[in-house]
Amino acid sequence: MSDISLTIIDKAGTAHALTAGSGQNLMHLMREHVDMTIGTCGGEISCGTCLVQLGDGWAGGSVSVDEQDMLEALDAAPGCRLACQLSLEPTAAGITATIVAD
Amino acid sequence: MDKTFPESATLDRGYDKIPLPFGWFAVAASEEITVGDRKTFRYFGTEFVIWRGEDGQLRAVDPFCPHLGAHLGVASEVVGNDLRCAFHHWTYNGEGGVTEIPYTRFVPPKLKRSCLPAWPAAEVDGLVYVWYHPNKGAPKWEVMALPPCPEGEWVEEERHEWSVNIHVQEITENGQDHAHFASVHGVPGAPSGEFRLDGWVRRNIVEATMNTPRGPMHGKIDNFATGPGQTITQFIDVTHVVLLQTVTPIDRENTHIRWKLYRQSNLSDGKMRVNQARMRDLVKQIVQDIPIWNAKRYVPNPLLVEGDGPLLAYRQQYARFYDFESDAAAE
């Protein structure tokens, strides 16, 4: 299993270079290595604390109705996703994800 | 409620091998839940919470708040038509959707739709019913209402309830057990008549000899059951008595029986006396049945002889109420 390199930018603007395996959940990865205050609901699409702005190169795959409704309720900008709904894929290699501040 | 434990309570009576059937079951009298009330009920081996909103409608949900597990029947409050959990003031509507969380920016859309399993509830003829299905399958038929009164209107004359130590299936099976009418109830002659099983409905119409103050009298008994929880029986001779019986599983070994007995309005004194005797006789009969029910065992392969009645046909139909995977719609 090849590791995927990516960059996470935290709420203070600091960049964190990480590597993770394919299939890794992005919210769990960020909570473990970058910011333990995100992912309050654990992936139930009910808190919105793991909102990320994905950089060019990877859109994160399909968006469920629950996630879409939550993105709209959060008034999220285009290109934003809930990290808890994202599993890393090889095509995500090299992307930057910015944690959106409240 | 009278509760009698059998002497054989430690013996295996076979009830842990029969599941609980799906269906509409009575769980309360309407007046037990007034506007703004919420109550916890224990039936079907579980609990659920019912409340009545300010619009007068009943709503029923699973007992535990999916947020952090508080019991929604404890210290919760009815707010408008919704129920507010005591623990963090999350508020739920009757579909189990969250309508308010006081400390977060907005109610997450997914939780707004539904996150707390709701129970279909109905209110018919002064009784509160819930639809029980172990997999939360949708209702397959509607709650049965009293038949139209042929003259005047129905008057509720008596109400009774019993908690019986037996599986719910066995109580309504008793009606198909022809031979016990003579031995247990001393009813002269075995009833004869038509017996129909159709979809979710069971109907017996028998010409029978019923005891009255003036001695045995010939009449018609029309027994109509829809699903496992509800039977309406009409006793028709010189007068017309309706018995609404509901049977509700408390668990696999205990069943709550409710009776509502109705008569026609504007009866002569003579007919009133016949009615009262009929009702007394019916109550006497179930009181004769109960000690046997409280201690009997379920026999999956009974030894039956001619004259026993259509018990196996009854069981064959009843098995439909255990078909939990089927999506068969109302028939």
Side-chain angles (χ1 to χ4, degrees), chain A residues 44-46 65-66 69-70 73-74, chain B residues 104-111 113:
Chain A
E44 292 297 321
I45 320 181
S46 60
V65 172
D66 284 335
D69 287 352
M70 193 67 179
L74 288 163
Chain B
T104 198
R105 284 176 288 175
F106 54 86
V107 177
K110 184 183 165 191
L111 306 190
R113 277 194 278 277

Side-chain angles (χ1 to χ4, degrees), chain B residues 56-114:
Chain B
Q57 295 297 305
L58 292 172
R59 293 154 179 93
V61 293
D62 271 6
F64 295 114
C65 182
H67 175 217
L68 279 164
H71 197 297
L72 291 165
V74 175
S76 59
E77 273 183 66
V78 177
V79 177
N81 296 325
D82 299 345
L83 185 67
R84 188 175 70 184
C85 179
F87 203 6
H88 303 91
H89 284 189
W90 285 34
T91 305
Y92 294 92
N93 62 24
E95 286 78 51
V98 178
T99 54
E100 201 191 336
I101 300 172
Y103 54 84
T104 198
R105 284 176 288 175
F106 54 86
V107 177
K110 184 183 165 191
L111 306 190
K112 200 182 273 183
R113 277 194 278 277
S114 182

Side-chain angles (χ1 to χ4, degrees), chain B residues 164-182:
Chain B
V164 183
N165 193 207
I166 193 172
H167 188 281
V168 66
Q169 175 186 320
E170 297 258 84
I171 292 174
T172 37
E173 180 172 295
N174 205 58
Q176 326 316 319
D177 175 357
H178 291 178
H180 96 286
F181 284 105

Side-chain angles (χ1 to χ4, degrees), chain B residues 32-301:
Chain B
E32 290 174 52
I33 314 169
T34 56
V35 169
D37 268 357
R38 59 107 180 90
K39 281 199 165 71
T40 302
F41 292 87
R42 289 187 179 180
Y43 287 108
F44 321 111
T46 186
E47 294 185 4
F48 47 94
V49 175
I50 300 183
W51 75 93
R52 193 187 291 280
E54 66 182 16
D55 62 358
Q57 295 297 305
L58 292 172
R59 293 154 179 93
V61 293
D62 271 6
F64 295 114
C65 182
H67 175 217
L68 279 164
H71 197 297
L72 291 165
V74 175
S76 59
E77 273 183 66
V78 177
V79 177
N81 296 325
D82 299 345
L83 185 67
R84 188 175 70 184
C85 179
F87 203 6
H88 303 91
H89 284 189
W90 285 34
T91 305
Y92 294 92
N93 62 24
E95 286 78 51
V98 178
T99 54
E100 201 191 336
I101 300 172
Y103 54 84
T104 198
R105 284 176 288 175
F106 54 86
V107 177
K110 184 183 165 191
L111 306 190
K112 200 182 273 183
R113 277 194 278 277
S114 182
C115 57
L116 171 66
W119 294 56
E123 210 167 3
V124 179
D125 294 324
L127 286 175
V128 175
Y129 293 85
V130 297
W131 172 263
Y132 168 76
H133 190 293
N135 303 340
K136 296 284 181 195
K140 297 174 189 288
W141 62 85
E142 290 184 2
V143 175
M144 179 171 52
L146 289 177
C149 189
E151 229 184 291
E153 53 192 65
W154 297 124
V155 177
E156 188 185 317
E157 186 74 10
E158 292 186 18
R159 242 185 240 202
H160 301 273
E161 49 187 322
W162 299 272
S163 178
V164 183
N165 193 207
I166 193 172
H167 188 281
V168 66
Q169 175 186 320
E170 297 258 84
I171 292 174
T172 37
E173 180 172 295
N174 205 58
Q176 326 316 319
D177 175 357
H178 291 178
H180 96 286
F181 284 105
S183 48
V184 177
H185 305 309
V187 175
S192 64
E194 62 171 294
F195 178 61
R196 280 207 308 269
L197 296 172
D198 186 16
W200 311 112
V201 168
R202 184 182 69 247
R203 188 165 199 182
N204 301 22
I205 301 173
V206 299
E207 303 288 329
T209 308
M210 296 183 269
N211 290 325
T212 78
R214 298 172 206 159
M217 191 180 288
H218 200 66
K220 189 172 94 169
I221 303 176
D222 182 342
N223 178 283
F224 197 97
T226 304
Q230 240 199 332
T231 309
I232 291 176
T233 310
Q234 300 183 66
F235 301 86
I236 306 160
D237 47 21
V238 297
T239 173
H240 194 146
V241 166
V242 176
L243 164 60
L244 168 59
Q245 171 179 278
T246 64
V247 288
T248 307
I250 297 165
D251 53 34
R252 290 186 186 192
E253 298 182 11
N254 295 280
T255 301
H256 190 158
I257 305 173
R258 286 181 177 83
W259 273 22
K260 276 153 74 95
L261 285 157
Y262 297 86
R263 63 167 174 87
Q264 289 177 272
S265 55
N266 304 319
L267 291 181
S268 67
D269 290 351
K271 285 189 173 179
M272 276 296 282
R273 276 195 296 278
V274 175
N275 266 346
Q276 283 160 357
R278 167 75 24 78
M279 292 181 186
R280 246 195 330 271
D281 191 52
L282 291 171
V283 172
K284 187 183 93 183
Q285 290 198 20
I286 194 170
V287 168
Q288 290 167 329
D289 285 319
I290 285 173
I292 293 174
W293 290 344
N294 274 335
K296 80 177 291 299
R297 163 186 231 180
Y298 173 67
V299 182
N301 300 299

